[in-house]
Amino acid sequence: MVKLSDVAARAGVSVSAVSRVLSGDPSARVSEATRERVRKAAAEVGYHPNFAGRALKLARTDVIALIVPDLTNALFAELTRGVEDAAVARGCVMLLARSEVMQPGGKMFDRLVGEGRVDGIVLQPRDGTDPDELARTVGERATLVTIHHRIPGASSVVVPDALAARRATEHLIALGHRRIGFAGGLTASPTAQRRVEGYREALLEAGLPGDPDLITWHGYREADGEASAAELLALPQRPTAIVAANVNAAVGVLAEAQAQDIAVPDDLSVVAIHDAWTAEHTWPPLTCVRMPLYELGRTAVTALAEAIDGGPVTHRTVDDPEPVLVPRASTAAPAS
Amino acid sequence: MVKLSDVAARAGVSVSAVSRVLSGDPSARVSEATRERVRKAAAEVGYHPNFAGRALKLARTDVIALIVPDLTNALFAELTRGVEDAAVARGCVMLLARSEVMQPGGKMFDRLVGEGRVDGIVLQPRDGTDPDELARTVGERATLVTIHHRIPGASSVVVPDALAARRATEHLIALGHRRIGFAGGLTASPTAQRRVEGYREALLEAGLPGDPDLITWHGYREADGEASAAELLALPQRPTAIVAANVNAAVGVLAEAQAQDIAVPDDLSVVAIHDAWTAEHTWPPLTCVRMPLYELGRTAVTALAEAIDGGPVTHRTVDDPEPVLVPRASTAAPAS
DNA sequence: AACAATTGCGCAATCGTTTGATCAGTAGCT
DNA sequence: AGCTACTGATCAAACGATTGCGCAATTGTT
């Protein structure tokens, strides 16, 4: 591994000079001729600053961790890209981890923050995580930004959930649906709460009755979508359309409809909040409301960087671009 | 951040003694009484060894990187779990990256290995990567284990692709199919080559003719599966069953069949190589051949650890557990 | 021409950990 | 008592990069 002193020897200067030149210290007093020789020498031997030495001296690793509940979820693809792009733009490396193994309070989380392996963490808490307990276990030890959730003492970033649910519902209303079901996440999930709120607003505004039976709280996974659909389709007065709180749940809704021989979209329209490539390949392809997840990731990194630099705790909502409806084949006017 | 000297002061001993006790140095000559005091002090102040200091001294980070083409692919879930479990068992942290941003030869890859951020890398090359070029850009700079591919000079681990394809094909033959299509990956992909080989073996053994028209080479993504299905279903003598080289491609096959109003499994059976939770939620649920991807991940870490410790380059095939057929609803006896 | 200010660069301490060398004290042996 | 052998613990030198400070040499000022 080529080090600073190798470059220094080759350029015929001291290590300090090399360090200053290569790190671009503006207050460094080094002649342009020397700078040139140093840069040339560094390039020739292929110098890269040793990570450990640098981290030790600077007490900074330029690593940020992104912890999500489930890496395989297509929804995290956009988020991950956003976080990674923003991290790279700041010269950081992104360390990605599943929250299953990287539970706050867990051994691995301890290592991450306790051993000073990361400068900060972007965390999407799992559904059902208690915010207060999370705040307690993280405490002062790590710089944290949460997404989709707010916990005391940490910055957070969310997407306009209510607006997205509203757009989805409005789309169905515009098509002529009057009995619209909602397949939501867990009751405890603040995201789910915001979404059902948007759904209710849209109904209210259209002068439609809000039947509580039409709202289910199962969760965000396929199986949860199936359960929601089963519940809604068993209703004496079955809905003609369903807003699913998430693409995965929507896939479950489609599966349950298929299993019950209910044609989509002829007998049942389905619209999902969030978009992902998986939505294009279901049958029928899913109408979605696309959320600014890429920007969510970027914003989270911005918030994290500010917090690391000692900035105040902030709570942001990503509202650009707005949630937008992506019409596909799973929605149509009701049959009747 | 509490450090060694803090623990030492609290226990009333030198830092060296603390270091030796806590790192469990067997050759250390420290009395049991002192050991106890040190451990107690460390626990009381919540000591974690500083990552940077340790890495600097030991020239080892205990971080391994896993680089895959696409994080959102459900197939990587098992692999990732395997790598992570094995890494944790060795006291390592896993850094996960998309190969898109972490291309060997790219800036980020350079930082990873050049700055000494990782001890080694488990890499799944993207389809179409030239092995020789990969070997050249990585060179001596990083300890590497590739999965699914072999490149000169690096250890590798693969799964029994031929056997899996063979099991899938045998399943269809047992159901009574005689005209079986193959929706393969890219021709350049060695994985795809091995799979088509297994497919051919099964046909041969059953005494069925191997029609080259029945083999397509589009790729592993949904769209590729659709293209493969379109090609196969347009054949004058259409196959009654298709072996898809991968779950995602199989989803594409299902979508294309739906689009053409071809009923699965009544008019067309579909079996996918690999299993993933997504396969349970397609319509109809996909019959799959489950591959030992978790073990692939574990084995890759074992191979990497050996290579890091200076062991020889090895090439392994994970053959325990064997590929096993998971029957679901997408396969049945042919209609005729 | 004398002095101050500035430029260009190197010295050496520092970050936290590990580890070979060292040293004082005690026990064992003759 | 005199010697060796061992025990229990400390000292100090690394690892590689950063940075405040100091020291010449040069330039600028009067």
Side-chain angles (χ1 to χ4, degrees), chain B residues 95-225:
Chain B
L95 188 150
L96 194 50
R98 298 179 291 142
S99 74
E100 191 184 329
V101 66
M102 211 56 98
Q103 275 301 326
K107 183 184 148 210
M108 268 310 172
F109 192 91
D110 261 18
R111 286 191 60 182
L112 223 54
V113 305
E115 298 181 358
R117 284 175 182 266
V118 300
D119 294 342
I121 295 174
V122 175
L123 174 73
Q124 168 164 1
R126 325 174 63 166
D127 264 356
T129 304
D130 177 21
D132 294 319
E133 197 194 320
L134 186 56
R136 232 172 312 131
T137 61
V138 173
E140 302 294 307
R141 303 185 305 147
T143 304
L144 192 67
V145 169
T146 56
I147 52 187
H148 292 319
H149 291 237
R150 319 220 124 138
I151 73 163
S155 290
S156 68
V157 186
V158 300
V159 287
D161 290 297
L163 184 56
R166 191 187 177 119
R167 292 275 178 274
T169 313
E170 284 170 352
H171 167 64
L172 295 172
I173 293 172
L175 285 172
H177 294 273
R178 298 189 51 79
R179 219 173 143 65
I180 301 172
F182 186 81
L186 294 173
T187 330
S189 150
T191 327
Q193 289 297 344
R194 290 193 292 270
R195 288 184 194 164
V196 80
E197 205 174 294
Y199 158 83
R200 283 209 188 97
E201 282 171 16
L203 291 186
L204 199 66
E205 200 168 273
L208 292 174
D211 183 346
D213 283 350
L214 286 174
I215 300 178
T216 58
W217 300 102
H218 286 275
Y220 287 129
R221 296 160 307 168
E222 266 85 351
D224 301 323

Side-chain angles (χ1 to χ4, degrees), chain B residues 3-4 16 19-20 47 50 54 57:
Chain B
K3 48 190 170 176
L4 264 188
S16 356
S19 172
R20 282 187 239 259
Y47 171 74
N50 178 274
R54 194 167 229 263
K57 181 65 191 173

